[in-house]
Amino acid sequence: MGLQETKIESLPFVTAELNYLAPVSGKPRTYAFDPPPGEPKSTSLPEPHRVPIFDARLIADHFSLDREGFALVRHPNQVKDFYNDEEIRAVYYPAVEAFLRATLKADRVFIFDHTVRRRVEGAPDVRDGGPRQPATRVHVDQTAVSGANRVREHLPDEAEELLKGRVQVINLWRPIRGPLRDSPLAMADGTTVAPEDLVASDLIYPNRRGETYSVKYNPDHRWFYFPEMTPDEALLLKCYDSATDGRTRFGPHTAFVDPTTPDDAAPRESIEVRTLVFHKQ
């Protein structure tokens, strides 16, 4: 049963502020390091909008990566310390790869990086090798250009052959501790997102330039979250899909401040693994 057959408006929801992209002249860009003198860190300025975010727990089985662009899955794991980079690569990476191959019926899965986040009140989101802060703007990690370029960047010798098949960039996101009540993740139903809502934006590194989608506000967007996620649960987030047959190709998402979060809730700790998923078709 799809979402179109359910009464979304009857679900519990919270009303929260999400940071969309404010109007900007030229292509938005953000430096992932200290910008040159006189340059702002980012030209992507937030435009907050208060929106309902529906509790998707009651209809969790109705979501699919191909339709809405996200899905909740059960995924127990054996990692003892998510702050140990060696353990993540030795234990977690193989488990995630095997899980995604089976779940998505993929021919191949390639993990190209991961990010650990731990919210610290008032701290900036700095890419210095330590835990990052939750991302509090509506975005998609890849674009039509950068999604394909990820294959060329990470698998250069095989890229052109792999790009003849279907390629997806799928993130597997999970809380490290739970139940998670602080800074949960909100996902937009991809069927409510218009192509013109997505604005390609440069992400500038010292040695390369990436591209993400910022997102313009559209009152048609419909938002969902899964409250109180546990460490045995994970979210699959679609960040790119080369298929152009009507499936959702890009899934906007963002962390948000849940107004029902208890004052004594532990700060969010989470990890996301970014993967290339290949189908020969």
Side-chain angles (χ1 to χ4, degrees):
M1 187 190 300
L3 289 184
Q4 64 275 13
E5 299 169 46
T6 67
K7 288 186 165 42
I8 301 300
E9 288 70 22
S10 68
L11 294 174
F13 68 91
V14 297
T15 301
E17 200 170 78
L18 301 187
N19 291 312
Y20 282 91
L21 176 69
V24 61
S25 61
K27 187 178 184 181
R29 55 121 187 91
T30 297
Y31 284 94
F33 58 100
D34 288 336
E39 289 275 345
K41 178 90 171 176
S42 177
T43 61
S44 298
L45 300 178
E47 181 180 81
H49 287 268
R50 287 178 62 78
V51 301
I53 305 173
F54 292 96
D55 179 345
R57 283 285 181 189
L58 293 175
I59 56 171
D61 293 342
H62 296 192
F63 296 95
S64 83
L65 276 175
D66 278 350
R67 191 174 52 245
E68 290 81 27
F70 63 90
L72 179 73
V73 294
R74 277 196 54 76
H75 184 234
N77 75 92
Q78 304 299 315
V79 178
K80 293 183 170 53
D81 182 6
F82 277 104
Y83 294 98
N84 182 326
D85 199 66
E86 290 183 6
E87 185 179 4
I88 289 174
R89 294 177 187 278
V91 178
Y92 194 49
Y93 274 26
V96 169
E97 180 183 335
F99 177 78
L100 290 181
R101 282 187 64 181
T103 302
L104 304 181
K105 298 177 173 57
D107 293 302
R108 183 177 177 185
V109 172
F110 178 84
I111 296 173
F112 60 87
D113 71 13
H114 71 275
T115 298
V116 175
R117 299 183 190 270
R118 182 173 60 207
R119 191 180 70 79
V120 177
E121 189 70 41
D125 185 20
V126 179
R127 300 164 191 265
D128 61 358
R132 303 258 316 270
Q133 297 301 299
T136 55
R137 64 182 184 87
V138 180
H139 68 284
V140 184
D141 292 27
Q142 307 295 333
T143 67
V145 171
S146 67
N149 281 344
R150 281 290 186 182
V151 184
R152 299 184 181 100
E153 177 184 352
H154 299 292
L155 298 165
D157 295 338
E158 307 167 73
E160 296 317 308
E161 190 61 33
L162 290 169
L163 288 167
K164 292 176 183 176
R166 182 187 178 198
V167 181
Q168 298 179 86
V169 178
I170 303 295
N171 287 8
L172 188 145
W173 182 100
R174 73 173 338 116
I176 291 173
R177 309 191 196 290
L180 187 143
R181 299 186 175 101
D182 173 70
S183 295
L185 210 59
M187 289 74 62
D189 174 353
T191 67
T192 69
V193 179
E196 56 268 25
D197 299 338
L198 304 177
V199 179
S201 307
D202 283 334
L203 186 56
I204 304 170
Y205 296 90
N207 56 348
R208 70 180 182 90
R209 185 176 294 237
E211 192 176 66
T212 65
Y213 280 131
S214 302
V215 183
K216 295 190 292 186
Y217 175 69
N218 181 334
D220 291 339
H221 292 168
R222 190 161 54 192
W223 288 92
F224 294 94
Y225 79 121
F226 294 95
E228 303 204 359
M229 284 183 63
T230 67
D232 281 349
E233 295 179 309
L235 286 166
L236 302 182
L237 306 172
K238 185 183 287 192
C239 298
Y240 168 77
D241 194 335
S242 64
T244 55
D245 56 3
R247 293 181 250 217
T248 286
R249 300 184 65 202
F250 305 99
H253 54 275
T254 178
F256 72 100
V257 177
D258 181 347
T260 68
T261 298
D263 291 339
D264 61 351
R268 190 239 270 189
E269 297 177 69
S270 62
I271 180 171
E272 63 229 50
V273 171
R274 300 182 182 88
T275 75
L276 291 165
V277 178
F278 299 101
H279 295 267
K280 293 176 183 174
Q281 295 183 318

